[in-house]
Amino acid sequence: MLKKVLVIDDSALIHQMYKMALMRYKCTIISAKNGQSGLDELARHPDIDLVLLDINMPVMGGLEFLQKVKELGKYSNIPIVIVSTEGKEEDTKKGMEMGAKGYVTKPIQTAALHAMIEKLIPSPG
Amino acid sequence: MDPEGSAISKKVEDFLNVFRKGEEFTQELLKENEKLRFKIAQLETRPQPSHREDGGQVNSLAEKIRLLEEENSALLDKFRLVEEENKDFANRYVEVEAENNNLANLYVASYQLHSTLDFSESLKIILEIVMNLIGAEEFSIVMLDEKTNELSIVAQEGMGPEARSGIRLGQGIIGTAAKTGEAYYRQGDPTELSGVDYDHPLICIPLKIKEHVIGAIVIYKLLIQKPELTGVDYELFSMLAGHAATALFSSQLYSHSERKLTTIQSFLDLLKDKKSSSS
């Protein structure tokens, strides 16, 4: 069964990179350019399995998105993974406190990302 | 018969009964004895294996054991070989997987580079590639002004105010790399840095269309979690050298032609207006 992953990042390059990297691991990607469109996608696709979240984005950043998700409460069962940059540990720490279930660092290593997804939403069997 | 006589005859009767039972028992014992004798005779007449035959059997069993042991050790050797092969396959799988990821990243990078004709969009894409795929923290894109022969920063990430623009062609590491068209990689551990020195970059990749240099990507510092450059980084650099150059050049050309087209269009409109007003 395909895992539905919502990628919230303002970079088209990152979206395509995730798409290429994760399609081999039976993941389908839904793209959102910022936190606000991420919330819209969550409302549109109730079957999303996991969210990959960038921190610095226009309109609504990653931390604000986490805050909104916390306030809404209804998405608390969806694991959120922060994509962080080294040197921005404060943001990562804040994000983890706000309910993120894990983080991966840039530059993205596909194997590490896949391991994180497997840990949070294990494949059946 | 008097009572004394009848008591004696009862005793005699009892004695005779005991005697008869004794006789029956003796008869049974004799029969049993006979059977045992017969069995002994049978066993005595059966042919006994000789010592020689014993030795032969032992030898054939020992041979069988030796063959089985040989077979066992051959199987163990085969098992070891298969295990080695399995390890090899697992390692190759990991390598192929990494290669797949690298190819996917190269594909994504080149696809993105040619997805726009907007100069600033092209610059943004190059910045994203260098940041997200290579893992650079401080870097810049410099473009060559062919009239002044100077390289100036057109985009940068993470650099401080002391970053120097206006490098002359042939001057220093960046100028030399741009003049010769040869990529520069600083020797030694890239993480071994006390501070960023903008005159001594880690990497300088000239952006070339064929042999014509139009600018360069200059990297001063890698992300802390990026301890060294890998094979795919060099692939990315060589891809960037060509593709980023053509992407920047064509987007620059496109925006110039767009500007010229607008000017010509306005000129034509003006002429039309004049013509209509004079007639």
Side-chain angles (χ1 to χ4, degrees):
Chain A
M1 207 177 80
L2 285 175
K3 291 171 185 170
K4 227 174 223 183
V5 178
L6 170 62
V7 176
I8 309 177
D9 200 302
D10 58 330
S11 160
L13 176 92
I14 293 284
H15 285 285
Q16 212 180 1
M17 222 177 89
Y18 282 133
K19 204 173 181 179
M20 291 292 289
L22 295 179
M23 69 180 184
R24 281 181 289 126
Y25 298 117
K26 293 186 177 173
C27 291
T28 174
I29 302 292
I30 297 165
S31 300
K33 281 183 175 176
N34 55 57
Q36 184 53 58
S37 55
L39 286 173
D40 296 343
E41 292 300 336
L42 275 178
R44 206 172 297 146
H45 303 274
D47 55 344
I48 282 171
D49 297 300
L50 183 130
V51 177
L52 286 173
L53 179 69
D54 188 27
I55 295 292
N56 294 315
M57 289 175 288
V59 186
M60 187 192 283
L63 294 179
E64 202 185 333
F65 171 84
L66 280 164
Q67 184 60 42
K68 291 273 182 203
V69 165
K70 203 175 173 183
E71 280 165 18
L72 289 169
K74 57 181 173 178
Y75 305 121
S76 56
N77 59 327
I78 303 172
I80 300 171
V81 176
I82 295 170
V83 182
S84 77
T85 311
E86 198 72 25
K88 305 240 170 126
E89 292 87 355
E90 268 305 303
D91 287 343
T92 310
K93 202 179 152 199
K94 258 188 214 166
M96 295 297 282
E97 282 166 6
M98 289 166 84
K101 292 281 185 289
Y103 68 92
V104 286
T105 50
K106 286 179 184 175
I108 304 298
Q109 301 295 316
T110 312
L113 182 64
H114 179 234
M116 176 62 78
I117 292 172
E118 266 304 304
K119 187 182 139 193
L120 295 171
I121 39 167
S123 299
Chain B
M1 197 184 282
D2 61 342
E4 202 175 328
S6 70
I8 288 167
S9 68
K10 189 164 186 328
K11 272 187 181 176
V12 167
E13 193 65 31
D14 287 344
F15 176 75
L16 280 172
N17 279 339
V18 170
F19 188 76
R20 268 185 220 114
K21 276 185 182 167
E23 190 193 358
E24 277 171 20
F25 184 66
T26 310
Q27 286 295 333
E28 272 176 29
L29 277 176
L30 283 170
K31 273 183 190 168
E32 202 60 34
N33 194 15
E34 195 69 15
K35 278 182 191 169
L36 286 169
R37 273 172 195 274
F38 181 69
K39 273 195 176 171
I40 288 166
Q42 267 186 330
L43 285 170
E44 277 174 353
T45 53
R46 189 183 283 176
Q48 294 294 310
S50 66
H51 284 297
R52 187 184 274 178
E53 278 174 339
D54 279 349
Q57 260 181 341
V58 167
N59 284 343
S60 90
L61 285 172
E63 181 65 12
K64 259 188 188 173
I65 288 168
R66 194 184 59 78
L67 285 173
L68 285 170
E69 269 176 354
E70 268 178 18
E71 209 176 309
N72 189 29
S73 93
L75 283 171
L76 277 173
D77 286 345
K78 255 192 186 173
F79 177 75
R80 256 178 244 125
L81 271 175
V82 169
E83 235 181 16
E84 288 287 314
E85 254 176 48
N86 268 349
K87 272 185 199 165
D88 267 4
F89 279 129
N91 289 339
R92 276 179 62 190
Y93 177 78
V94 171
E95 277 171 23
V96 168
E97 194 69 0
E99 196 64 32
N100 265 345
N101 289 334
N102 296 343
L103 285 172
N105 285 349
L106 284 170
Y107 166 77
V108 170
S110 67
Y111 177 87
Q112 284 294 321
L113 273 173
H114 297 293
S115 65
T116 181
L117 278 172
D118 183 83
F119 184 68
S120 57
E121 187 70 21
S122 296
L123 284 175
K124 191 178 156 232
I125 290 166
I126 299 170
L127 289 182
E128 279 180 3
I129 292 170
V130 177
M131 193 161 47
N132 293 305
L133 295 187
I134 289 167
E137 196 178 342
E138 287 188 38
F139 59 98
S140 66
I141 302 167
V142 292
M143 292 293 280
L144 177 68
D145 183 339
E146 290 189 342
K147 285 174 195 153
T148 60
N149 262 353
E150 260 195 4
L151 293 152
S152 52
I153 295 175
V154 287
Q156 59 93 11
E157 182 68 39
M159 288 171 69
E162 66 273 28
R164 202 158 60 90
S165 204
I167 302 158
R168 287 204 64 76
L169 198 65
Q171 186 189 52
I173 292 168
I174 302 164
T176 309
K179 192 177 180 183
T180 59
E182 293 289 324
Y184 168 82
Y185 299 98
R186 195 170 68 199
Q187 298 298 310
D189 181 1
T191 56
E192 223 175 73
L193 270 176
S194 48
V196 173
D197 178 355
Y198 290 124
D199 285 329
H200 295 89
L202 269 179
I203 300 148
C204 182
I205 310 293
L207 300 174
K208 294 192 289 187
I209 298 170
K210 287 208 171 171
E211 291 311 307
H212 182 66
V213 176
I214 63 154
I217 294 171
V218 191
I219 300 173
Y220 299 97
K221 192 181 173 191
L222 297 176
L223 289 169
I224 200 159
Q225 66 269 35
K226 174 94 182 182
E228 59 182 359
L229 294 174
T230 57
V232 72
D233 293 327
Y234 293 104
E235 296 280 339
L236 265 169
F237 288 139
S238 104
M239 187 276 290
L240 274 173
H243 288 246
T246 47
L248 287 175
F249 186 75
S250 49
S251 59
Q252 233 173 4
L253 211 63
Y254 182 75
S255 57
H256 282 166
S257 60
E258 278 285 284
R259 269 205 304 273
K260 274 187 184 166
L261 188 71
T262 318
T263 317
I264 292 167
Q265 192 64 50
S266 337
F267 186 67
L268 284 172
D269 289 346
L270 199 73
L271 279 176
K272 262 185 200 167
D273 286 347
K274 271 200 168 180
K275 202 178 173 186
S276 60
S277 62
S278 65
S279 63

